[in-house]
Amino acid sequence: EENKHMEHENIKTGQIMYWARVLPKIDTYDLYELKVRTLYDTYFVAVDKRSKQSYIFPYKDINKTIFIKREEALNCIKSEESKR
């Protein structure tokens, strides 16, 4: 419980985050640059900078599929691609 709160504290509205969208079954390995729009109790909403589409992420996905640092998201994608 305390850990979830800590992750929530680290994210601010307007912050840029990076989503490693990995869908191996359809051979999709994408990196999205997102801007945090709204924070909720258990999840947050971020908007793709290019398409303006909104996505919902649970806080538990931080450092798993969504990252503060672009390099970490790229490493996640490279790691998943190497499993093909």
Side-chain angles (χ1 to χ4, degrees), residues 69-80:
K69 293 182 179 165
R70 187 173 189 273
E71 185 180 357
E72 290 173 356
L74 277 174
N75 289 340
C76 174
I77 290 169
K78 287 175 187 168
S79 170
E80 290 298 323

Side-chain angles (χ1 to χ4, degrees), residues 21-67:
R21 184 170 175 252
V22 176
L23 303 166
K25 286 181 180 165
I26 59 170
D27 203 36
T28 298
Y29 302 86
D30 295 327
L31 177 65
Y32 285 75
E33 187 173 332
L34 307 173
K35 189 174 192 176
V36 177
R37 186 180 74 192
T38 316
L39 302 173
Y40 295 96
D41 285 345
T42 58
Y43 65 95
F44 63 98
V45 178
V47 180
D48 183 300
K49 284 187 81 179
R50 280 186 226 134
S51 71
K52 305 298 183 209
Q53 179 155 353
S54 298
Y55 298 96
I56 296 170
F57 297 95
Y59 291 110
K60 65 181 174 62
D61 284 358
I62 296 168
N63 296 324
K64 290 180 186 162
T65 60
I66 187 155
F67 302 87

